[in-house]
Each structure stands twice: as C-alpha cells, then as structure tokens.
Amino acid sequence: MPVFPRGVWIVFAAIAGLFGLQMLGPGLGRQDAPPPAAAAAAVDFAGSGPIELSDVGASGASATVLVRNDSGGEALAAFEGTMLDRRGQPLGTMTASAALKSPVTAVVLTLTPVKPFDLARDDRLPARGVLVMTARPSGRADASPTIRSRELTLLQIQPSAAERAITSLGLIAGAIVLLYGVAAGFSAKSNAQLAGTPAWTPQSWSTNLAIGGALLAMVLGIAALPAQTHYAARTAYATLSTFFATLVALAPAVYGLLKVGTPSPPAALRLFAFAAGVTVWATVGQLGITGLLFLELGAARVISWTSARSAALLFAIVALLVFVYALRAVNAYKTGESPVTGATVPPSGTAGRWPLL
C-alpha cells in the first residue's frame, strides 16, 4: 500500500483547514444584532426632582406624576413605591400601572399608609421613600424593561397645627390687651395728661424682640433647619417671621393713622390699646415661631431635646412677660403711673411720656 509522504498530508490538512475557515468564517466573531429599540427605551419621568405627595387625607396621600414616552409607540409602565417615616419605620406602599399612549401621560399615585393619617399633625411625618417605574413596550412582555426611579417626599400636614397655634396665641394675647384698653377707656376719667404720642423708638422692647427674632429665625432657617421639617413648612417659618417683624414696625403708623386731630383721653387710651395689641400679637407670634424653630432642630437631632425645649421654654416665658408688660403699660396710661417703677408719668409733651413699646 503506497504511503503518502508526510508533506502531502500536511498540505491536505492545510487546505481542509482553510476550506473550513471559509465555511465558518461568516459566523466567526459574529454577535447577534441587538433587537430593535423597544418602545420602553424612551420612557422616563418628565422631571428629575423629588415627587411630593401633597394631597393628604386620612386614608392616604396622592400625587400626580408626568411620564414621558418619546418612542412613538405604546408602552406599559408599572409603578411600585415604599416610604419610611421620620424614624425609619414603614409608613406605607403604593402600586399603580398605566398605558403610555401619548407623548406625556399623567399618572395618579396613591400611598396607602400602615395606619390612617392624623390630619391635625401626624407624628410620623415628614417621610421619604423611593418610587420605581418599570416600562416595557406593549405586547412585548419578554422585552428588556426600562427601569427608572424617583425620590418620594411627604411633608407634615399643611396648614400646620403648630403654626396655627402660635398665630392664634399671639392674636388672643393682642385681643386681650385691646379689650382691656377699651374697658379702661370707658372707665377712665377725663385726664389731660393722657393726650400725647406713644414712645415707639429703636430702643423699644417690642421692636428689638420682633426684629431680633426674625433675624434669628432667618439664620436658623438657612444654616441649620433641615429640608423636611416636622412642625411646619420652611416657607411658613420664613413667611410668618417676616410678617410679624413687619407688623410690629407698623404699630406706630397704625396709631398715627387712627389718631386724627386731638382725641379725648379715653379715645386716645383705646387707640393706644389697639396699637399695643398689634404689637403684642407680632411680638408673641415672633417669639413663638423662634421657639418652634428650636423644637424643629431638636426633632431633627441637630441639637439635643434638652437644649431645644429649654430654648422654647425661655421664649415662652419672655412672651408671657411681654403680654403682662403690655397690660401694665395700658393701665399706666390710664392712671398716669409708670408700669415699671410706679412713678408719676410726666405731663404731656415731656420726653418719655408714654411707656416704651
């Protein structure tokens, strides 16, 4: 049997190898082409900021989120969210689904809480969570999904009960001062010393307390107050602090506007009581807001509860002293005696004629 030389076998092997490579070549290194872009690939939230659940009821909280679909085809989106309260405990969950047929679709999301919300002030708030959206093209359950996420936030129930309490407390204190002055005006005898102008000056305690409290509230709000507050919204603190600081500065203008000509002493006393009531409302409200800010810092663990409560108690005591001093000032205007020392008030036109407010 003839034997082929070894070199011939090597040539045949080389030819077969080249032939095999030619046959397999189209498949070597080839990767399956990616499937056509799914409709879900162009689905995303319309914005990038946190989603705030602002519509709060006893049975849940809801928000409307806009979802963008730029694919030109219909897509199906499923939403799943969970939230934790300010102590890190589960607050509730949400699930929803939507067919995205138009470029922008509004989807209503509803949070179901573990227990109903307290519409006065829920001690579990503020809360934070995450919402996850999973989108696929319609009719393509096996298609790779597009997953997007957004932060969820739920602030304290608004309007805040603590905010209403502070504003109402100052308003009640001012109303008591006014009613006391009105009653004193009716009972006061005609006294020529009562004619004059109140001494609201830059050294007045009301101006210093209210404006100083506004500056302190602004510093605390910028430097230390957390983004999500427990007792009231950040905007409420800023708005009320500015309002009270402006209100106390308007008290002299209020008196000057009402005091036309030379009113009788009882009428002048009642006008003074009205202006003093406005001053007390603004000052007590400003002190209350500042004390509430310290409680916010305690709730956020920025400072200890001992420091927060001590500061709030101090502001409450000062507010009480302001109220008592205002009543004594109105009474001093009636009797002609100083509310501090009991000394007789100088005649009309003398500097320092009125008690400083």
Side-chain angles (χ1 to χ4, degrees):
M1 180 176 180
V3 178
F4 287 97
R6 182 179 180 183
V8 176
W9 286 113
I10 293 176
V11 172
F12 273 110
I15 294 173
L18 292 174
F19 183 78
L21 289 176
Q22 184 179 3
M23 295 294 293
L24 298 176
L28 289 178
R30 183 184 65 187
Q31 297 180 355
D32 292 338
V43 175
D44 200 351
F45 292 105
S48 59
I51 300 173
E52 181 179 336
L53 302 174
S54 56
D55 189 6
V56 183
S59 60
S62 62
T64 301
V65 60
L66 297 178
V67 180
R68 190 184 72 248
N69 181 8
D70 298 332
S71 65
E74 182 177 346
L76 296 177
F79 301 86
E80 292 186 4
T82 183
M83 297 197 74
L84 302 179
D85 63 19
R86 69 188 187 95
R87 297 184 178 89
Q89 300 300 318
L91 179 70
T93 58
M94 63 171 59
T95 57
S97 60
L100 310 178
K101 300 179 181 180
S102 57
V104 177
T105 304
V107 181
V108 178
L109 304 174
T110 301
L111 175 76
T112 302
V114 176
K115 64 178 183 179
F117 288 114
D118 184 351
L119 297 183
R121 183 178 69 86
D122 199 303
D123 195 53
R124 299 171 294 175
L125 302 181
R128 301 179 65 181
V130 175
L131 174 69
V132 177
M133 178 183 67
T134 304
R136 287 183 173 90
S138 298
R140 295 279 305 278
D142 58 339
S144 299
T146 296
I147 300 176
R148 298 290 185 266
S149 63
R150 289 276 298 277
E151 181 184 359
L152 293 171
T153 61
L154 178 56
L155 304 181
Q156 184 57 265
I157 307 297
Q158 301 297 329
S160 166
E163 168 203 330
R164 291 196 301 266
I166 293 297
T167 304
S168 300
L169 187 63
L171 185 58
I172 292 172
I176 292 176
V177 172
L178 172 60
L179 293 176
Y180 180 76
V182 170
F186 282 113
S187 63
K189 297 180 180 179
S190 178
N191 186 345
Q193 291 190 45
L194 296 182
T197 301
W200 278 287
T201 70
Q203 291 76 35
S204 300
W205 51 262
S206 59
T207 303
N208 293 333
L209 286 175
I211 297 179
L215 293 176
L216 180 59
M218 181 181 66
V219 171
L220 291 177
I222 295 175
L225 199 63
Q228 298 184 23
T229 50
H230 176 54
Y231 294 98
R234 291 173 62 98
T235 53
Y237 288 121
T239 302
L240 288 178
S241 183
T242 304
F243 169 71
F244 289 136
T246 304
L247 192 62
V248 74
L250 290 177
V254 169
Y255 177 82
L257 181 65
L258 297 177
K259 184 177 177 292
V260 179
T262 306
S264 64
L269 175 56
R270 289 192 289 271
L271 294 178
F272 173 69
F274 179 80
V278 173
T279 302
V280 169
W281 178 25
T283 308
V284 171
Q286 185 67 76
L287 292 171
I289 288 296
T290 309
L292 200 60
L293 280 171
F294 276 93
L295 294 179
E296 286 283 7
L297 298 181
R301 297 183 177 87
V302 176
I303 61 176
S304 67
W305 270 115
T306 301
S307 300
R309 289 169 177 167
S310 299
L313 179 61
L314 175 62
F315 284 112
I317 293 174
V318 174
L320 179 61
L321 294 177
V322 166
F323 171 67
V324 173
Y325 183 86
L327 292 176
R328 295 187 63 185
V330 172
N331 186 69
Y333 193 68
K334 171 186 173 182
T335 60
E337 295 181 353
S338 168
V340 179
T341 63
T344 301
V345 176
S348 176
T350 305
R353 160 69 187 86
W354 289 62
L356 289 178
L357 287 178

